[in-house]
Structures are given as structure tokens and as C-alpha cells.
Amino acid sequence: MRKTSSYNGIFVMVITLLLLGAGTTNAQVLNKPVAADNPNLAGNSAWTAACASESFNEYFVNFTWSPPMVASDNEFILELSDSNGNFGSPMELARVGDKNAVFDFEFEFAVPNDVRGEHYKMRVRSTNPAKTSPPSDAYPMHYVDYGSPLLISPDGSGDIPAGGLIQLCGGGDITLAPHNITNADTYIYNWYRSGTLLAEKGASITVSTPGMYYVELDYGSVCSGSANTLSNTIELNTGTSLGVSINGSNDVGLCVGDAHQLEANNSGMGLTYTWYKDGSIVAGPTLELNTYNINTASAGFEGSYEVEINGAAACLERSSAVTIRNLGDFEVTRQNDANIVLLPSQTTTLSATSTASTPSYQWYKDGSPLTGATEDNLEISEVGDYFVRVIENGGGCASSPVDSQITVVEEPASFEFVVEYASAYSSCQNADVTLSLSRINAVSDSGAKTDVTPELQSAFSYQWMHEGSVVSGETSRTITVSDFANNGDYSLEGSISGFDAVSNALEITMARGIALNISTNGTVLCEGADPIRFTSSESLSDETFEWLKDGEVVDTSSESATATEVGVYQLRILTDACPIVSNEITVRAFDESLLSLDRPEELIIVEGETETVTASGAESYEWFDAENNLLGSLDTYSFQDEGEYLLVANFGNCTVNRVITVTYRDLFAIPNVITANGDGINDLWVLPNSYSRQDDVLVTIYDERGKEVFSQTNYENNWPQSTTQFNKLNMIFYYTVTRSGESLKQGTITVIR
């Protein structure tokens, strides 16, 4: 425990105070700060508004003052008001302590990132003596933390309407809001309609009046323009919905040469009409053009037709589509494969579809029509070449028959199996592997393949083969292999009605189910220590193996490897097709920097409190006091008393020692002079928080004859009381501060009246 018992310096303090009190009556004059130019920018002039951002935030103000001189420990502090110019809770912008003999200098400061306003003021405050300058003129100051164009959309959804146009039909309103700015509600906005600034300042605006709407962030009268946040424009139109449609059927079939007119359901209202085909304009916009004639003599007249209306008091509206079809132009599509392999006892169905409105069908085999085959599908049981011919019978259109593609139906020449891994498989990774029949193909003489799995998978007999030999008992469509001793190629064979089938071969390679681990007696190489040796969890006497360092082979014969260099070590057994690989162990060079502490070795703590130091990087730890007593063996230790301590960190056979010095911090010195003259300055004897208002701390004061004049626990910094009488101008008192009978502080107090 450190104790203080010094009484020196009392008379020096008294003389100093008397000299200060006898000084001149002149006082320093602090002038208001004034915006100054930036010396780092050529050709610059004093700023009139601070528009700061992440890319630029460097400003200067000029400050002047007049003597007498300030104290040598004085600091000048530049402070900023709130956005209304009030200094109730000023923000510190800059502080200098080396200008106490300079009467004209510049403060450099950065605008805080939460500053936004038009009437900020600055002032300068000195600390010794404590004086404050008049406030500066008001300046616009804004930290521009968002400086990109805003994007606005209905309800901030991000869906900007085509052309930026929104229509409101039959009343109502719409809300616009930006959608590309985070924390949108924390900003102030300038909303405009057709160039006129609106009163709304929030992150959204609800409107129903026609006009061109856009917005920008409100960074004040100067900074808003430089922030470049002006948004896209949304045009709002209003009108009445008339409900436009095209008269008649919405599906019309026409022949070449037919006449047909499309007619809108409204007319004579001064509207403009635009006609569309497949989304492209084919007529208009034309006033009162409420009809459109289909030119069926033009190739490609078929399509989807719409009409759009617009007018002075009407909403822009488009009708639903009317489909126009060409009855004389249709397609026939085959619905089955081009090649089919058909078993002698098997049947299959051919089918086709057509776009003809009233089609008739006729099926052909080998070029000849089949009697009674006049449906859109045909069941067959013979080989041959098949197609269907379709004729359009509706609409009075004269058209040529359209034939489908030909389907070639053949007998099988052979069968083949396709087997696959039933689940994810990686060589040397799986503990078991399942193979399964996935497809049976019937193969024709021409090489055409037909999937006949659903029809024949239950009719075949099966046998699994391993490396060309029969696997006893494996006669189903799947096989599971779970023993690494059965690694190799597997295939499936089968037979049906005199046909034999063979599958592709799949290789199975599985590792032995061994968890190979290596261990070591240390991981740090240091001079003079025992060698670092690695041992295996498995016997290596009958194995082919490799010891690896950093992926390179370093030993193939020693069952116990020795590390002579730093690196990453590993063991690999090569006896089987799949190498068995061990865990990795990293050997490091000994270096005292391997030991890390989360606190400095010179540790300063507050008396009565505890500070914990945590060590890391070593394998074990020991903490000792100055008498070499073992205090603990964890990676942390909590210090409470002053002194020197030793940490011994063990890295295998290597150690690192660290000395930790613990000293107490003086929160602030106990005053030894007070001036009890009733002026409100230094009238009371004030102790640090660690001694005052503490239930277990006793403060006792004695006069110069040793008589106790004051004694109190939970000291309230209230001595001397106003009723205390002093019979001399300067009196000396003695004090002690104790806790539980143990002395903490003692000294003298000089009372000057």
C-alpha cells in the first residue's frame, strides 16, 4: 500500500495565490471567431457555408485575442452551438494548447456528421483564465452524408411507372416516396410540383393535384444544390375512366380475303384512338378513329388487337385484346418421339395436335391410309412409318392438307441397361454405396433407343456382376456395397424373351473406416528442449505410409517421426486404394511474441478496484508475486494490490517470462490549500470520489495543536462548515483518511482567509 505524508509546498502555494490576487485588473479580450480561407487550397477565400461530406471536411476559422497573457497550461477551445445558435449544450470542434503566446491564429475543424442547420454559431473558450468569446455570426452548416440522386416511386415500392406517368381515374390520391435511401425518415426533404416548392418536408408526400413531382434532400439554402440529390420526376394526370372495349367476340377466325372491322364501344366524345397489333401501333393516334379494318389480304394479319383512348377529361385507357386467327393457316404437331422401338407383343399410341379450328384427321402407315384411323391419336402394334394428315373444315377457307412429321416404329435388335449411383458418391469418401437400375433402352437396328423401363423392368431377370464375376444373391435392380474389400467395377446383366442386356460399369472405391490420429509432445521448437516427436494412433508395422511436412514427404520408414523444422505435419497410410490421412499438427518456432497479453505490462489501477489480465498463445500459465508465491495457474489473473508480479507461460518445453508492474492511479491530488473567504471558489476541502461519500472511509481533521476538530465517514466534501470560526488569517490543519483502521492518506490543509 503506498502512503503519502508530505507537507512541503504549502508556503509556496500561499505565496503564489497572493501574487495572483495582487495582479493587474486588466483582463484578456477574446474576440469572436470568423470564417477563414483554407490554406491547403490554392486561390481559396473564406467560406460562407460549410457543406461537409466524407470526401471533404476541412474548415478553418480565425481567432484573435488581446493580453494580458493567459496561464501556461491554458487551452483555447472552439465550440459549436445548436442549429438555432444556442450554446446550452455546445459541441467541441477543436482544442489547442500551444497558442498561449499567439494572438492571431486559425482553428482547423471538421463538421460533425450529425450537423444540419442554417444558424450555427461558434465561440472560443479559454480554460485558464476561464473566459468565453462573443458568438460568431450565424453560418449554414450541413454534413452531406447522402449525395446521390434520389429515386421516387408510388409508396416507395421501387416500381417507377413507364415514362414516369401516373394516372388517377375517378378521384383518389397517391403517395410518393424515395426508395433508394436508408433511414429515410431521418432526413428533411424539399418536395416540388412543377417547379413550385411545397410545404411538405417528410420522407413521403400524398398528392392528387396534376403536375410534375420531384424531391431533393433539404441541406439548407446553400448545400442542397451541391448535394446533387434531385430525384426523377413523376407526372400525375387525372381524369375519368370510360371503360373502353372492342365490340363483339374476343376470338375471331378469318380466311384470306374476308372483311372484318374492329369497333370501340364508345364514340362521338372527342376522344383520340390508337390501335395496336401485338403491342405495336398500326393506326393513330387519330381523333374519333373508333374503328379499324383488318386487312386479311396482307400476310400475317392474324394477331392480338387492342385500342387505346385518350382525351382532355378522360383517362388514358387500353382495351382488353381481341385475337384474330387465320383459318386457312394451321399447324400439325407430332406428340410422340420420331423413333419408337416396339416389342412384338407391345402396343403404343401415336398422337398429334393441330391449330385448325375444325380439323379432320387421317393416319397413314408406310404411305397408305389406314381404314378408320380418323382421330387425333392412333394405337399401333406393328412396325412401320406413320404420319397423320389434317384438313381444315371450318370457316369456308380453302387450304391444302398439312401432314405431321413421320414416326418410325421399329422392332428391337437388343436391349441395354443404364445403372447409376443411387445417391451422392465421391471416391474414397463414402462409407457405403448403392447402385440402381435407372433405365432400360430398347435399341433398333438403326441405333434408335426407346425407354421401355415402365413396361419391362418387372419382366427382366437380373444379376449383378463384380469385376466380371457373379455377386451371389444380388438379383434385384439395386445393390449396396459397404465393405472396402469389395471395391471394384460393378455392372448389371439381365434377360427377357431370348434377349440379353448388359449395363454400363460403375466403379466403387471406399476407404477403410479408420480414424487416423497423430499426437505430439509439443508444438514449439526451442533451443535446448527435447525433440518434438509424432506418434500414430494406428500401428504402422504392416502398412505403407508417408510422413508429410507442408505436403512434402519427409519420412517413409520411421513409425515415430521427429520434427526438426517448423511446418505442418501429417501422416498418410497408402496400403489401400484410398489413402488414410491423419489430422494436421503445426510446429512453430519459439518466439516470445507467441505470448499475448490483453493489458499493458505497466498496469495502472484505481486503488480499491480490480483489473484482470488475460494471457493467450501458450499451453499453460503460472502467476507469482514478488515473494515467488504461486498465485494461480489459469490464463487470467485479477490484480488488486500494487507490486511486481511474474507470469511464466509454458510452450511445451519452452517458457516465456513477463514481469507485470501494478501501481495505483491518483484520480486527482488531495488539495492542501483552501480559501474560506465565502466567494464560492475553493471554499471547501474536496476529496476524490474514492475517499468521499464512502461508508467505510473515515476522514479526520486536527488543528495545529493536534486537537480533533472534524471526524466523519461518508464525507460529503462539506468542511469547513459556514459556522466554523478561524482566529487567524492563515491556519494549518492536519488530516488522515483511513479505511477499516488502515491509513490511506494523510497531510496538511492550509486555510487562507
Side-chain angles (χ1 to χ4, degrees):
M1 178 68 67
R2 186 178 59 187
K3 302 179 180 179
T4 303
S5 59
S6 173
Y7 301 96
N8 296 328
I10 297 175
F11 298 104
V12 174
M13 177 66 73
V14 172
I15 293 172
T16 300
L17 291 173
L18 291 173
L19 289 175
L20 287 175
T24 177
T25 59
N26 293 336
Q28 293 83 359
V29 176
L30 307 186
N31 299 318
K32 71 178 183 180
V34 179
D37 64 350
N38 189 328
N40 300 320
L41 301 177
N44 191 35
S45 59
W47 55 276
T48 58
C51 303
S53 65
E54 183 179 2
S55 61
F56 179 81
N57 196 356
E58 182 182 72
Y59 294 88
F60 293 81
V61 293
N62 178 255
F63 169 64
T64 59
W65 63 287
S66 300
M69 301 298 289
V70 295
S72 61
D73 63 348
N74 175 71
E75 291 182 305
F76 289 111
I77 303 171
L78 179 65
E79 295 181 332
L80 183 67
S81 72
D82 63 18
S83 60
N84 296 315
N86 299 319
F87 286 93
S89 298
M91 290 182 283
E92 182 177 315
L93 294 179
R95 178 188 292 254
V96 295
D98 59 350
K99 304 294 185 182
N100 293 331
V102 181
F103 303 104
D104 187 342
F105 63 90
E106 272 73 44
F107 280 100
E108 179 182 355
F109 71 93
V111 176
N113 60 12
D114 58 349
V115 165
R116 296 178 194 153
E118 295 292 282
H119 303 289
Y120 283 97
K121 295 181 180 181
M122 293 169 288
R123 70 182 185 187
V124 176
R125 181 169 57 85
S126 62
T127 60
N128 192 4
K131 296 184 68 65
T132 303
S133 77
S136 71
D137 296 340
Y139 294 97
M141 286 189 181
H142 293 268
Y143 187 86
V144 181
D145 58 345
Y146 188 90
S148 300
L150 297 174
L151 294 176
I152 59 174
S153 56
D155 296 317
S157 64
D159 295 328
I160 300 176
L165 178 64
I166 295 177
Q167 279 198 320
L168 291 179
C169 295
D173 53 38
I174 190 167
T175 298
L176 302 176
H179 59 259
N180 65 327
I181 182 172
T182 56
N183 301 320
D185 291 335
T186 64
Y187 293 88
I188 301 174
Y189 297 79
N190 291 328
W191 286 95
Y192 297 87
R193 180 178 66 240
S194 301
T196 299
L197 180 63
L198 303 176
E200 287 82 354
K201 289 293 184 180
S204 64
I205 185 173
T206 300
V207 295
S208 58
T209 303
M212 311 285 285
Y213 290 87
Y214 50 93
V215 71
E216 68 178 354
L217 292 181
D218 184 358
Y219 286 121
S221 58
V222 178
C223 302
S224 292
S226 62
N228 191 34
T229 62
L230 198 63
S231 74
N232 59 304
T233 298
I234 297 292
E235 180 180 0
L236 179 64
N237 288 339
T238 60
T240 302
S241 175
L242 299 179
V244 64
S245 63
I246 299 176
N247 294 331
S249 172
N250 62 0
D251 188 351
V252 180
L254 300 175
C255 298
V256 174
D258 287 351
H260 187 76
Q261 185 181 71
L262 300 176
E263 181 181 35
N265 66 325
N266 43 37
S267 62
M269 303 175 65
L271 301 175
T272 297
Y273 295 80
T274 304
W275 291 90
Y276 292 84
K277 174 181 177 293
D278 298 329
S280 299
I281 296 175
V282 292
T286 305
L287 185 65
E288 297 289 4
L289 183 64
N290 73 313
T291 61
Y292 178 74
N293 294 316
I294 304 294
N295 182 9
T296 58
S298 175
F301 68 84
E302 62 276 2
S304 177
Y305 289 82
E306 301 164 291
V307 65
E308 185 177 79
I309 61 171
N310 196 11
C315 287
L316 179 68
E317 292 183 271
R318 188 179 295 192
S319 71
S320 57
V322 170
T323 300
I324 302 296
R325 295 180 292 104
N326 185 348
L327 296 178
D329 183 14
F330 63 93
E331 295 179 353
V332 178
T333 305
R334 177 182 61 202
Q335 298 300 300
N336 44 264
D337 294 336
N339 293 86
I340 295 176
V341 177
L342 193 65
L343 300 177
S345 59
Q346 188 181 16
T347 63
T348 191
T349 299
L350 308 179
S351 64
T353 58
S354 174
T355 59
S357 61
T358 311
S360 61
Y361 298 87
Q362 176 60 59
W363 287 92
Y364 287 77
K365 175 180 177 294
D366 299 329
S368 300
L370 295 173
T371 302
T374 58
E375 302 295 330
D376 60 357
N377 61 82
L378 176 68
E379 184 175 307
I380 62 171
S381 58
E382 298 178 353
V383 299
D385 295 344
Y386 293 84
F387 71 89
V388 66
R389 178 167 294 165
V390 180
I391 298 175
E392 173 64 85
N393 299 301
C397 299
S399 61
S400 300
V402 177
D403 294 344
S404 71
Q405 306 97 319
I406 293 176
T407 298
V408 178
V409 181
E410 303 175 275
E411 292 180 343
S414 62
F415 291 91
E416 69 174 10
F417 292 161
V418 177
V419 294
E420 296 178 350
Y421 299 105
S423 57
Y425 166 76
S426 296
S427 178
C428 295
Q429 301 297 318
N430 292 60
D432 56 64
V433 183
T434 298
L435 308 181
S436 176
L437 173 68
S438 64
R439 182 182 176 104
I440 302 174
N441 288 327
V443 185
S444 69
D445 286 330
S446 64
K449 297 181 181 181
T450 300
D451 183 1
V452 294
T453 309
E455 296 88 348
L456 299 182
Q457 63 179 348
S458 298
F460 268 92
S461 60
Y462 300 97
Q463 177 62 58
W464 284 96
M465 310 294 290
H466 173 221
E467 298 290 341
S469 299
V470 170
V471 182
S472 177
E474 296 294 345
T475 58
S476 68
R477 295 193 296 274
T478 63
I479 185 174
T480 298
V481 182
S482 57
D483 189 343
F484 77 94
N486 294 325
N487 285 347
D489 288 342
Y490 285 80
S491 60
L492 180 63
E493 296 181 357
S495 61
I496 184 175
S497 302
F499 288 97
D500 294 323
V502 179
S503 77
N504 54 307
L506 292 178
E507 182 181 12
I508 293 178
T509 306
M510 294 182 295
R512 276 193 291 174
I514 295 177
L516 179 62
N517 290 291
I518 58 173
S519 57
T520 180
N521 61 336
T523 60
V524 179
L525 281 174
C526 57
E527 185 176 353
D530 293 337
I532 295 177
R533 296 189 181 278
F534 300 99
T535 57
S536 169
S537 61
E538 298 293 322
S539 173
L540 303 179
S541 58
D542 296 324
E543 306 284 2
T544 301
F545 59 88
E546 299 172 337
W547 288 98
L548 308 175
K549 183 182 81 71
D550 298 330
E552 301 293 332
V553 177
V554 294
D555 191 351
T556 59
S557 59
S558 303
E559 293 190 28
S560 176
T562 301
T564 59
E565 298 178 348
V566 298
V568 179
Y569 288 81
Q570 196 172 31
L571 174 63
R572 185 164 60 196
I573 296 178
L574 306 174
T575 302
D576 303 316
C578 296
I580 304 172
V581 181
S582 75
N583 56 305
E584 295 181 346
I585 294 180
T586 300
V587 175
R588 300 171 292 172
F590 178 68
D591 183 349
E592 290 197 4
S593 65
L594 293 174
L595 175 64
S596 297
L597 301 179
D598 68 342
R599 302 297 303 276
E601 295 176 25
E602 299 289 336
L603 186 63
I604 300 174
I605 65 175
V606 176
E607 185 175 0
E609 296 185 0
T610 299
E611 292 289 344
T612 300
V613 177
T614 301
S616 60
E619 298 174 7
S620 63
Y621 307 89
E622 294 175 310
W623 304 83
F624 298 90
D625 62 14
E627 284 72 38
N628 204 32
N629 296 314
L630 178 63
L631 303 176
S633 57
L634 301 177
D635 60 349
T636 63
Y637 187 75
S638 297
F639 295 92
Q640 187 174 14
D641 298 323
E642 288 185 313
E644 288 191 346
Y645 298 83
L646 176 65
L647 168 62
V648 179
N650 301 296
F651 297 83
N653 295 319
C654 309
T655 61
V656 174
N657 297 333
R658 293 283 175 86
V659 175
I660 299 173
T661 303
V662 180
T663 57
Y664 289 143
R665 172 188 297 161
D666 286 333
L667 298 182
F668 62 82
I670 295 178
N672 57 9
V673 176
I674 62 173
T675 57
N677 55 11
D679 64 354
I681 301 175
N682 198 32
D683 284 339
L684 297 175
W685 189 53
V686 179
L687 297 185
N689 290 339
S690 57
Y691 301 134
S692 64
R693 298 180 177 87
Q694 302 291 325
D695 291 336
D696 60 344
V697 174
L698 175 65
V699 175
T700 306
I701 301 175
Y702 307 88
D703 65 13
E704 58 189 4
R705 295 185 178 183
K707 179 182 179 181
E708 180 181 304
V709 297
F710 179 86
S711 182
Q712 185 181 87
T713 58
N714 197 23
Y715 176 55
E716 296 289 339
N717 292 325
N718 57 349
W719 186 85
Q721 293 90 348
S722 60
T723 58
T724 303
Q725 299 294 320
F726 299 100
N727 53 18
K728 297 181 182 179
L729 289 179
N730 300 317
M731 296 185 67
I732 296 177
F733 294 83
Y734 303 89
Y735 72 86
T736 62
V737 180
T738 61
R739 178 185 285 118
S740 301
E742 181 180 0
S743 178
L744 301 178
K745 295 288 183 181
Q746 60 184 354
T748 65
I749 310 168
T750 299
V751 179
I752 301 174
R753 297 180 56 242

